[in-house]
Amino acid sequence: MKKVVISTGGGDAPGLNAVIYAVVHACYRRGWEVYGSRSGYSGFLDMDDMVQLNPRSVEGIYSTGGTILGSTNKGNPFARPVENLAGEIQIVDVSDKILNNFKRMGFDCHIAIGGDGSLQLAKQFADKGMPVIGVPKTIDNDLEATDRTFGFDTAVSTATNALDKLHSTAKSHDRVMVVEVMGRDSGWIALYSGVSGGADVILLPEIPFDMEKVCAKISDNELNDKNYSIVVVAEGALEKGGQVFNKGVGELGREEVILGGVGEYVAQQVRNHTAKDTRSLVLGHLQRGGSPTTFDRLLALRFGTAAVRLVEQGIYGQMVALVSSKMEAVPIAEAVKSRKKVDLQSDKVLTARNIGICLGD
Ligand code: F6P
C-alpha cells in the first residue's frame, strides 16, 4: 500500500489531465491511494487544497485541456512573497513546512508534473529528502533529457492550423502576416509549425535575425510572383545585436519576465523596408489551450503510468522521459541543467533551408 501525491506546476499544457488520469488509474489498480495538491504546492500548506483522487473523480479527463488541479507559476516555495501585517512584501521559505507536511500526511512519493521551473523545485525537494518523480511538461519542448515533452504536439498543431488559415487572407490582400508564437528560449514551436504551415520566414531564439535578410526574402517572393508572405517568430527571437522583447516583470511571485512584442517589431520593420501591407498577430495562450492531440494524450498516459512503475520500484529523484521512442528514467538534474535548444544541424532545420525558408541569417 502506497500513498502518492500529484502536483501540476508552471504554465499549463494539454495533456496534464491525461497524466493525472493515468497516475490515478495505475495507482488504484495497485490498491494505492492518490491525492492531488491544488495550484502547485498549495495542498501541502492548506489541507483544503489537498484532494483525494479516484477513478470516478478523473473520469474522462484524459481528453481535456488544462489541469483539474490548477497550476501556478508564482508559487516558488523556497522564495514565496508574503504580505506582512504592515503591508510589506517579505520573501519566505516555506519548503521545510511543505516537507514536514508531506511526511505528516504519510505520503510515499510526490509525482511532480512540470516544466523547467517546476522540475527545478522538484529537484530542490528531492535534495531535501522528498521522494520525487518528475513528469516533463511544457508546450515549449525545451526540457533536456527527453526527446519530447507533452503539450508540444498540441501547441504545434494549433499554430500550424492558424498558419493554414492565414494563407488565404494574406494572399487575398497581398500582405505580409507576422505570427508570434510561444517559445521563450527555444524555437521548437516556431520551427515545427513554420515548416509544416508553409512559412516563408521562421525566426528562432537560436538564430539572431538580420532584418535585411528577412526583407530580402519577402522581396524575392514578389519577384517570383508570390505577393504575400508568412513570417513565424518565436517570442524569444531577437535581432542580431538586439535583446529579447519583454513586457516587464509579471505578477508578484512570478520569476520570469513576460515575453512579447517581437512579432509587432518585425512587422513594423517589414512595413518600413518593403512598403508591403503588413499585419502581426500573437497566438499566445491559444497554443496552451484545448484538447491534447492523440500524440500528446498517449505520451501523457505513458508518462503517468511510467511514473507509477518507478514508484513501485522505489526509484526516486528521476524524471520519466521519452528516449528513442521508449520510456526511460533520467535524473531530474539532467533535465533541468539547461534548456534544450533546436539543433541547427538537424534535418528539420535543413528541411526548412532546403525548401527555401529564410531563417533570418
Ligand atoms: O513556458 C511555457 C510558456 O507558454 C512560454 O512559452 C510563455 O512565455 C509562458 O509560458 C507564458 O506564461 P504565462 O501563462 O504566465 O503568461
Side-chain angles (χ1 to χ4, degrees):
M1 163 66 191
K2 289 197 191 289
K3 197 168 165 185
V4 173
V5 57
I6 320 174
S7 69
T8 54
D12 68 342
L16 281 167
N17 283 334
V19 179
I20 297 170
Y21 177 94
V23 170
V24 170
H25 277 270
C27 286
Y28 259 68
R29 290 185 67 80
R30 287 165 169 81
W32 303 350
E33 283 183 7
V34 194
Y35 287 77
S37 167
R38 288 208 177 102
S39 274
Y41 287 85
S42 293
F44 295 100
L45 296 169
D46 180 347
M47 275 311 288
D48 287 345
D49 283 335
M50 187 62 84
V51 285
Q52 188 163 11
L53 301 170
N54 58 48
R56 273 198 79 184
S57 59
V58 298
E59 196 180 316
I61 65 166
Y62 54 85
S63 62
T64 60
T67 158
I68 59 162
L69 294 175
S71 197
T72 177
N73 46 19
K74 299 184 287 184
N76 182 352
F78 293 84
R80 175 167 289 212
V82 176
E83 193 174 326
N84 67 18
L85 292 175
E88 296 153 347
I89 301 298
Q90 284 184 317
I91 302 299
V92 182
D93 180 348
V94 292
S95 61
D96 283 335
K97 200 169 170 191
I98 288 176
L99 188 62
N100 289 338
N101 286 344
F102 172 89
K103 289 179 186 157
R104 210 171 40 81
M105 292 179 208
F107 289 123
D108 294 291
C109 175
H110 172 204
I111 297 182
I113 315 171
D116 180 70
S118 315
L119 292 180
Q120 289 276 4
L121 298 176
K123 186 192 167 295
Q124 284 174 261
F125 276 111
D127 292 344
K128 275 173 99 80
M130 185 188 277
V132 175
I133 291 168
V135 177
K137 164 240 65 165
T138 165
I139 67 160
D140 288 357
N141 196 38
D142 59 358
L143 272 176
E144 288 285 4
T146 184
D147 294 347
R148 279 292 181 94
T149 56
F150 72 83
F152 171 65
D153 187 68
T154 310
V156 168
S157 167
T158 300
T160 306
N161 284 339
L163 295 179
D164 286 348
K165 291 190 170 138
L166 286 172
H167 277 269
S168 57
T169 175
K171 189 171 181 173
S172 306
H173 289 268
D174 287 351
R175 274 180 180 154
V176 178
M177 300 296 302
V178 181
V179 187
E180 183 178 307
V181 297
M182 282 187 172
R184 297 185 73 81
D185 302 290
S186 310
W188 297 101
I189 298 177
L191 181 67
Y192 277 47
S193 65
V195 171
S196 311
D200 299 283
V201 178
I202 303 174
L203 304 177
L204 316 171
E206 290 85 348
I207 307 177
F209 60 85
D210 179 343
M211 267 325 295
E212 270 185 32
K213 298 278 167 56
V214 175
C215 294
K217 172 67 188 174
I218 291 163
S219 305
D220 259 17
N221 277 355
E222 296 279 311
L223 290 175
N224 292 314
D225 287 335
K226 184 176 183 246
N227 295 329
Y228 74 99
S229 296
I230 305 283
V231 179
V232 179
V233 195
E235 62 183 351
L238 69 165
E239 196 169 13
K240 261 188 193 163
Q243 289 194 339
V244 173
F245 284 74
N246 73 75
K247 296 181 171 172
V249 180
E251 304 85 3
L252 185 64
R254 189 196 153 97
E255 288 165 350
E256 285 177 321
V257 289
I258 298 177
L259 299 190
V262 64
E264 181 50 28
Y265 170 79
V266 169
Q268 274 171 14
Q269 296 296 311
V270 169
R271 206 175 288 127
N272 294 345
H273 293 103
T274 66
K276 288 286 295 175
D277 270 13
T278 306
R279 298 286 187 272
S280 75
L281 71 151
V282 179
L283 286 193
H285 295 78
L286 276 177
Q287 296 158 97
R288 295 230 303 252
S291 199
T293 57
T294 308
F295 181 92
D296 274 341
R297 265 183 226 188
L298 185 58
L299 182 61
L301 293 167
R302 290 173 73 196
F303 278 152
T305 53
V308 173
R309 290 195 294 276
L310 289 184
V311 181
E312 195 165 43
Q313 294 162 42
I315 299 175
Y316 301 120
Q318 304 280 307
M319 181 186 84
V320 290
L322 182 73
V323 181
S324 307
S325 310
K326 293 211 176 88
M327 285 290 116
E328 303 265 335
V330 297
I332 298 179
E334 281 297 304
V336 297
K337 66 175 189 221
S338 59
R339 300 286 167 101
K340 186 175 70 188
K341 302 277 184 188
V342 169
D343 172 4
L344 299 183
Q345 308 310 322
S346 69
D347 83 285
K348 277 133 198 156
V349 171
L350 294 180
T351 301
R353 293 194 192 279
N354 287 170
I355 58 179
I357 297 173
C358 165
L359 298 179
D361 58 349

